[in-house]
Amino acid sequence: MKKLILFLFIFSGFQFVVGQSISGQVLDENGLPLPGATVTNTVSQVIVAADLDGNFSITAADNDKLSFTFVGYKTSTQAAKNGMKVSMQLSSTELEQVVVVGFGTKKAGAITGSVAQIKASEITKTPAQSAIQAIQGKAAGVNIVTNDEPGANPTVIIRGLGTVLGGRTPLYIIDGLEATSLNGIAPGDIENIDILKDASSLAIYGQKGANGIIVVNTKKAKKNKLQVSYDGFVGRKFIQREVEMADAYRYVYYNNTALGSSTYFNFDQPYNTNWLDEITDTGETTSHQLSISGGSENVNMQFTATNYKEKGILNGTQFERTNLSSRNQFKILDGKVTIKQNLNLAITNNSPKPLSAFTNAYKQAPIVPVRFENGRWGVPLRDPATGQVAINGSDRFNNVGNPAAQLFYYNEQNKNLAVFGNISAELQITKDIKFTSNFGSTFNWAKGFTYTPSRDIWLSENPTQEIADYPASNPINTLQQRRYDDYNWNWDNFISYSKTIDKHTINATIGMNRSTTNNAESLSATRWNVPEQSNYWSLDLSDYNTEQPPGQVVQNRVETPVVSLAYFARADYEFDNKYLFSATVRREGNSRFQESNRWGVFPAVSAGWVLSNEAFFKQNKILQYIKIRGGYGEVGNANALTALNIPLFAANYNYSFGPDANIFPGNVQPYQIDPNLTWETMSEIDFGFDFRMFENRLSGTVDFYRRQNENVLLPVTLPSVISPDRVTLNTGTVLNQGAEISLKWDGKFNDEFSYTVSGNLSLNKNELQKVNNSFFSDLIGGSIDNGQWTKQVLVGEPLGSFYVFDVTGFNGDGEFTYSDERVAAGSYIPTHTYALSFALNYKNFDFSVDTYGVGGNKLYNGKKAQRFGGENVESAVLDDFWLPGDPNATNPRPFNNVPRSSTYYIEDGAFFRINNITLGYTFPKFFEKVSRVRVYATAVNPFVFTKFTGYSPELVGNNGGDPLGTAGIELNAYPTNRTFAIGLNVSL
């Protein structure tokens, strides 16, 4: 019996020695938790991950060695001790931080190109439906023009605009899947974003990288831990800036003065309408995300569901997106094969409204009511007998529609289902050689309808008419239904080699890429006189059966797929963590071009010198790290319109034949095709350095670049006998050159009080350097829909330049006098952007402020310039207009005609904005199974400082920031919103 008791005592003691649970916390250099830090028992090889508060629990005996690792931090090894607190130190310039560089990854310390990384905490700080919208100002050299219209895309320009007709959108890589935007992915699903900016980083993507690459890495499950998290917020949206318009009295005064009459409008008007108030309301936004993840050594799984809803500030606008995502990883054959699967489902419902309602609200007279007393919609009718607005008036004094009626009758619904993802397999052939095959694809199915109640609209415009007066031959209503689908895919296969021999490290990659895009079909059909129903719309119910030309009833278009095939290779060499070298080459063919010009070769080379690792540098006490780097690369741009390279024929051209000159219908080729049409090519030289100093508290990056786009596609006007319409040629050269600097200071007052200050500045000079064709001229754009245009592509000027008449003064009647010729009046593209951020952590509180600004750009006040006669004006115009006694006023004498495009409507586009203010509190742990609860309040765009007099100095324009479109012109533009939200983060 004594032996048994002794045995049990020894056994229990042994259990205590080897089987006890050691708990502790992993902290960063500022004393903040490091969630996800890996803790390894080097004796038993048990591995656990720290929770969101940095807490961990691991089975270990006293004094077992525990290894603590986290990306970007030095590995720390300490003896196991219950209640231990482990403080991790940043590795030099976060050298271990992994950055995705294209078909592979590199440690940040080995990067020789210009790459910026934005982490999840920065992405989710701003409540937004698009992750790109949320990272404005977070990366130097990346100009993001936000767009607050529900469901809309912002525009992104990386290191300046380099093309006129070609594609301007960066390529997005989402876990290896090629995409054109991030609107189908929830911001909370993203772990980090790597932005590849210079040509040496972009060259491995060839013709797809001319506008930059945005690489998105989504969140993955952590090993050996089941995690459940919820993130949500609810917010209210308001117009950030309103434009004060003339009220009824001032409107009458202005227009009477313009008409030279004191009695045309009676000053005693029955209505005084604020049209902006009538078409807008408080917007609402909500988001809920639930994520479940877990895994083991060989299996990791994550599932996320997100729902985002937004009611826009414009009456009737609605947007909703539901995301379901699954990300799994499996290791088989003793870890030699890794299979990764990412699947994303995005279901979108969108109810847009015409943005021209904002322009109509700006222009419509305040003396017009929303509705007359009898309930009929208000229209600009004046009773000549009284000078007042009246329903039976006979004088229509402007041609502006009723914006409230416009929104009421506009009925458009759109639904979209996007399924995208990829599957990849990695085979570890040997210790040093790995083969990877990745297949990604995107399916889009979209449908929608637009219902137009033609008779109701006619009655709203003619308030004295009745249904019986509506022309019987006109349709009562119109229903258009649309269907669209596309399927795009990319397949990558590459072999990677990695070997370290003493001080030498070699990494090499060789592979191929095949992609198919533009594989799309669209179908639209139109019928008239369908029954009006709220939830069911059918073309078959039409009772309007008058024969119509087929093209007016059904349109069907099948696009020509664009195929790209490429072979690429990259070699990286590193010696003694001091000398870095990288070389890349990609040979690519694209089906957009004719066979003789289908292939191109895009090389790149870069090098770096880690000066701080030299022996002579070790004594430097101020500068802890510095790396000098430089590179050169070339990439192409094949994203021009396919039609520019394919002969097309236009119909409805008549020809006369025979002695009687009989007329026969025919077709004609409107423009000739240049058989030598080929790639636009971007070449770039980049030089920069990265540094850390003052005990690693101050870190920074500086870059200088010169980027030249050659063979830029431009249309030229040849003699009509050669080509009736313009011919597109590779004939232009665009130059972008500039500098970028990013700085960050990490400091702390004590273990409970730390702060961070960071900022960046980007300078860019853009210029159409030359055009090698004497027939190039008059490439104009920027229409403001009143017969006036505002932009022209000019040699020696930036793209997107305004080209208008210069206001030189006043004549004797108080009208503007103008220059004889148009003048270049600046571009909407900024010459510099900047950002400043501040973050403070005190105990469980966190506080941050993000700001953003641009300068050196001009904007055109298109809504102010779009005049015909009788429209409203801004209240400020009446404070300072020409009078015989005030000939030096800012504004001309009141007028009622179409004005010239002139510098009068050009305004300074610079602004400085507080992008985000956030205050959060993380509760102390109060329940064992709840690892983290944080609440926060945030204000998005609460303040803006600008001289621009319009609603918003951020003007995306149409067609993805087309430099010849309405980018930089405030016309039919959605105002920037001010958002206030509260949110909750919970982790189990």
Side-chain angles (χ1 to χ4, degrees):
M1 186 66 179
K2 293 181 179 179
K3 292 182 179 179
L4 177 59
I5 294 174
L6 180 61
F7 173 80
L8 292 175
F9 179 80
I10 296 173
F11 181 79
S12 61
F14 179 77
Q15 286 285 88
F16 178 80
V17 172
V18 301
Q20 65 177 327
S21 178
I22 297 293
S23 298
Q25 188 179 27
V26 186
L27 307 172
D28 66 9
E29 76 284 4
N30 295 316
L32 298 176
L34 277 180
T38 300
V39 185
T40 304
N41 185 329
T42 59
V43 178
S44 65
Q45 296 303 309
V46 173
I47 302 174
V48 299
D51 64 17
L52 291 175
D53 289 321
N55 296 318
F56 70 92
S57 179
I58 189 170
T59 300
D62 279 335
N63 297 320
D64 274 1
K65 296 297 183 182
L66 301 184
S67 174
F68 300 86
T69 59
F70 192 79
V71 172
Y73 287 79
K74 296 178 181 178
T75 298
S76 176
T77 302
Q78 299 187 23
K81 182 181 179 182
N82 204 34
M84 63 193 302
K85 288 186 178 295
V86 180
S87 180
M88 306 276 291
Q89 297 299 313
L90 280 170
S91 58
S92 188
T93 63
E94 299 180 332
L95 295 181
E96 303 302 315
Q97 181 72 50
V98 176
V99 177
V100 178
V101 292
F103 308 106
T105 60
K106 286 185 180 181
K107 294 179 181 179
I111 295 290
T112 51
S114 182
V115 180
Q117 185 172 85
I118 304 165
K119 298 180 180 179
S121 58
E122 296 294 330
I123 299 168
T124 56
K125 183 186 296 183
T126 300
Q129 63 93 12
S130 167
I132 292 299
Q133 197 112 327
I135 65 171
Q136 183 187 58
K138 300 300 181 183
V142 183
N143 178 21
I144 298 174
V145 184
T146 61
N147 186 351
D148 280 338
E149 181 185 3
N153 277 321
T155 61
V156 182
I157 301 175
I158 299 176
R159 289 191 168 180
L161 190 61
T163 183
V164 178
L165 303 180
R168 298 171 293 276
T169 304
L171 175 67
Y172 295 84
I173 305 292
I174 306 172
D175 292 330
L177 169 69
E178 298 178 4
T180 57
S181 77
L182 293 186
N183 261 14
I185 189 168
D189 275 349
I190 298 174
E191 181 71 27
N192 56 57
I193 294 176
D194 296 317
I195 302 177
L196 314 184
K197 297 186 292 184
D198 73 312
S200 68
S201 303
L202 300 168
I204 199 164
Y205 286 103
Q207 58 89 14
K208 301 173 183 178
N211 302 305
I213 305 286
I214 298 177
V215 183
V216 176
N217 305 296
T218 58
K219 293 178 179 177
K220 309 297 191 299
K222 301 291 191 299
K223 294 180 181 179
N224 300 320
K225 186 168 181 63
L226 176 65
Q227 290 183 318
V228 179
S229 64
Y230 167 82
D231 299 283
F233 63 81
V234 59
R236 296 291 181 266
K237 289 174 169 283
F238 308 88
I239 293 180
Q240 187 182 57
R241 303 177 74 238
E242 295 188 9
V243 178
E244 184 181 357
M245 303 303 297
D247 60 11
Y249 183 89
R250 292 167 76 86
Y251 171 84
V252 169
Y253 177 73
Y254 182 91
N255 280 275
N256 280 352
T257 304
L259 296 167
S261 168
S262 60
T263 60
Y264 184 83
F265 286 111
N266 191 324
F267 278 91
D268 184 16
Q269 292 290 331
Y271 308 105
N272 186 13
T273 305
N274 184 320
W275 284 106
L276 185 63
D277 285 350
E278 295 296 335
I279 68 167
T280 60
D281 198 358
T282 300
E284 299 174 357
T285 178
T286 60
S287 178
H288 303 281
Q289 177 169 299
L290 181 66
S291 178
I292 303 173
S293 65
S296 62
E297 187 67 29
N298 295 320
V299 178
N300 291 300
M301 297 183 177
Q302 176 155 332
F303 175 79
T304 304
T306 307
N307 179 261
Y308 176 88
K309 289 183 180 179
E310 182 176 347
K311 178 175 83 71
I313 59 169
L314 183 62
N315 289 344
T317 51
Q318 300 276 351
F319 176 81
E320 181 178 5
R321 185 185 63 222
T322 299
N323 292 88
L324 301 174
S325 64
S326 171
R327 301 180 186 91
N328 304 314
Q329 177 176 300
F330 309 92
K331 290 185 177 181
I332 58 177
L333 301 179
D334 295 328
K336 292 182 178 179
V337 176
T338 301
I339 298 174
K340 299 177 182 179
Q341 166 262 311
N342 300 309
L343 181 64
N344 300 272
L345 179 72
I347 304 168
T348 303
N349 295 316
N350 191 15
S351 302
K353 294 289 183 178
L355 301 187
S356 57
F358 285 111
T359 302
N360 289 337
Y362 176 92
K363 297 188 336 180
Q364 186 56 278
I367 62 176
V368 177
V370 177
R371 292 181 185 265
F372 291 110
E373 283 77 2
N374 65 355
R376 299 293 293 270
W377 291 100
V379 293
L381 292 175
R382 165 186 164 273
D383 184 349
T386 64
Q388 293 180 325
V389 168
I391 192 171
N392 57 356
S394 60
D395 177 25
R396 186 178 289 266
F397 54 87
N398 70 39
N399 64 356
V400 183
N402 183 321
Q406 178 186 13
L407 296 179
F408 182 84
Y409 288 119
Y410 189 86
N411 189 348
E412 179 180 347
Q413 303 287 331
N414 297 305
K415 296 183 178 182
N416 188 83
L417 172 63
V419 180
F420 57 97
N422 67 304
I423 184 168
S424 66
E426 297 177 358
L427 171 62
Q428 196 74 43
I429 301 174
T430 68
K431 178 183 176 182
D432 306 320
I433 301 175
K434 179 173 67 176
F435 171 74
T436 302
S437 182
N438 174 69
F439 180 83
S441 63
T442 301
F443 293 87
N444 274 304
W445 294 273
K447 65 178 181 179
F449 71 78
T450 301
Y451 174 79
T452 306
S454 309
R455 184 175 63 186
D456 291 343
I457 293 174
W458 183 84
L459 290 171
S460 74
E461 296 169 345
N462 299 275
T464 60
Q465 303 294 313
E466 303 297 334
I467 291 178
D469 301 317
Y470 185 70
S473 59
N474 290 356
I476 297 173
N477 57 50
T478 302
L479 175 63
Q480 184 208 47
Q481 289 195 347
R482 302 171 297 277
R483 300 289 185 270
Y484 172 87
D485 65 81
D486 66 43
Y487 170 57
N488 302 320
W489 60 271
N490 64 278
W491 187 22
D492 312 320
N493 293 280
F494 53 95
I495 295 176
S496 305
Y497 173 78
S498 180
K499 185 71 172 180
T500 299
I501 305 174
D502 195 16
K503 297 181 179 181
H504 306 270
T505 299
I506 301 171
N507 293 285
T509 301
I510 185 170
M512 60 84 64
N513 165 263
R514 169 48 156 101
S515 65
T516 297
T517 58
N518 204 47
N519 189 13
E521 181 177 3
S522 59
L523 173 69
S524 68
T526 304
R527 294 295 300 272
W528 295 267
N529 296 2
V530 299
E532 181 179 357
Q533 303 178 54
S534 60
N535 297 316
Y536 181 73
W537 302 88
S538 175
L539 297 171
D540 288 344
L541 297 179
S542 169
D543 62 14
Y544 187 95
N545 296 312
T546 304
E547 291 187 4
Q548 299 288 329
Q552 294 186 20
V553 180
V554 178
Q555 296 85 39
N556 179 226
R557 181 180 179 87
V558 178
E559 303 291 344
T560 302
V562 176
V563 177
S564 168
L565 178 62
Y567 305 93
F568 57 85
R570 177 177 59 217
D572 299 317
Y573 173 72
E574 179 180 341
F575 175 72
D576 199 20
N577 293 320
K578 298 178 185 177
Y579 312 112
L580 312 169
F581 177 80
S582 181
T584 303
V585 64
R586 178 170 172 129
R587 176 170 169 78
E588 184 162 7
N590 191 287
S591 65
R592 273 195 170 101
F593 302 110
Q594 297 186 20
E595 240 178 276
S596 58
N597 294 300
R598 189 162 288 175
W599 289 87
V601 177
F602 307 104
V605 63
S606 60
W609 179 22
V610 185
L611 189 62
S612 53
N613 283 348
E614 295 288 357
F616 62 80
F617 205 88
K618 298 297 184 182
Q619 302 305 315
N620 194 309
K621 301 299 182 182
I622 298 176
L623 196 61
Q624 280 73 54
Y625 176 86
I626 183 168
K627 176 177 66 178
I628 302 172
R629 51 183 170 75
Y632 170 83
E634 297 178 5
V635 294
N637 187 355
N639 298 315
L641 299 176
T642 305
L644 297 177
N645 202 33
I646 299 175
L648 299 176
F649 289 86
N652 302 320
Y653 283 82
N654 297 328
Y655 291 82
S656 61
F657 291 98
D660 298 328
N662 294 322
I663 302 298
F664 294 90
N667 295 337
V668 67
Q669 185 177 341
Y671 55 83
Q672 293 296 318
I673 298 297
D674 177 15
N676 299 312
L677 206 66
T678 187
W679 317 80
E680 294 183 340
T681 301
M682 184 270 280
S683 58
E684 181 180 19
I685 297 174
D686 180 274
F687 172 80
F689 56 92
D690 311 316
F691 64 90
R692 291 185 78 92
M693 57 195 305
F694 303 131
E695 297 181 347
N696 290 323
R697 291 189 180 92
L698 178 63
S699 60
T701 296
V702 179
D703 275 283
F704 303 92
Y705 64 89
R706 187 178 190 276
R707 171 179 290 191
Q708 188 164 298
N709 292 69
E710 298 179 307
N711 292 328
V712 172
L713 293 169
L714 292 171
V716 299
T717 305
L718 300 178
S720 59
V721 67
I722 299 175
S723 179
D725 290 348
R726 294 185 177 190
V727 178
T728 302
L729 305 174
N730 295 104
T731 187
T733 300
V734 175
L735 179 65
N736 284 281
Q737 52 187 343
E740 301 161 0
I741 180 170
S742 299
L743 297 173
K744 182 180 179 182
W745 177 274
D746 289 302
K748 66 176 181 178
F749 300 106
N750 52 51
D751 291 341
E752 295 183 329
F753 198 174
S754 63
Y755 66 94
T756 299
V757 180
S758 60
N760 62 71
L761 171 67
S762 306
L763 308 175
N764 176 267
K765 181 182 179 183
N766 176 273
E767 178 188 1
L768 177 62
Q769 202 173 26
K770 60 182 178 179
V771 176
N772 300 317
N773 194 294
S774 59
F775 290 102
F776 172 76
S777 65
D778 299 335
L779 182 55
I780 63 175
S783 170
I784 55 172
D785 299 332
N786 67 344
Q788 298 290 312
W789 53 271
T790 61
K791 295 178 180 178
Q792 183 165 334
V793 178
L794 301 165
V795 175
E797 298 293 337
L799 300 182
S801 287
F802 295 109
Y803 195 52
V804 295
F805 292 98
D806 188 24
V807 173
T808 57
F810 297 101
N811 63 18
D813 295 325
E815 298 173 339
F816 278 139
T817 57
Y818 302 96
S819 58
D820 294 332
E821 303 290 337
R822 289 179 182 253
V823 298
S827 170
Y828 73 92
I829 302 174
T831 60
H832 59 276
T833 64
Y834 56 97
L836 183 66
S837 297
F838 174 76
L840 187 71
N841 293 279
Y842 176 69
K843 294 186 176 179
N844 290 3
F845 289 94
D846 60 271
F847 175 76
S848 64
V849 178
D850 296 327
T851 69
Y852 179 70
V854 306
N857 60 316
K858 300 296 181 181
L859 302 175
Y860 197 84
N861 200 327
K863 66 185 188 314
K864 184 177 181 180
Q866 196 193 59
R867 294 185 62 81
F868 298 91
E871 297 90 354
N872 199 10
V873 294
E874 295 176 16
S875 182
V877 171
L878 284 92
D879 295 334
D880 186 22
F881 66 80
W882 184 94
L883 291 170
D886 186 12
N888 297 317
T890 302
N891 302 299
R893 180 182 183 275
F895 63 94
N896 267 330
N897 50 30
V898 177
R900 281 189 183 186
S901 294
S902 69
T903 53
Y904 175 66
Y905 302 104
I906 297 288
E907 299 188 31
D908 188 351
F911 70 87
F912 174 72
R913 185 173 62 211
I914 309 297
N915 267 8
N916 184 288
I917 302 175
T918 298
L919 175 63
Y921 178 77
T922 301
F923 288 92
K925 191 166 184 177
F926 56 85
F927 186 64
E928 183 179 354
K929 295 186 180 298
V930 178
S931 60
R932 181 174 184 256
V933 177
R934 176 179 177 266
V935 295
Y936 65 90
T938 187
V940 181
N941 302 333
F943 307 106
V944 64
F945 307 93
T946 180
K947 294 180 180 179
F948 182 61
T949 62
Y951 294 116
S952 172
E954 283 196 295
L955 301 169
V956 174
N958 59 350
N959 195 23
D962 183 355
L964 287 175
T966 56
I969 300 175
E970 187 169 57
L971 183 67
N972 306 337
Y974 199 91
T976 298
N977 293 176
R978 176 188 288 121
T979 304
F980 299 97
I982 56 175
L984 173 67
N985 311 124
V986 180
S987 299
L988 305 181

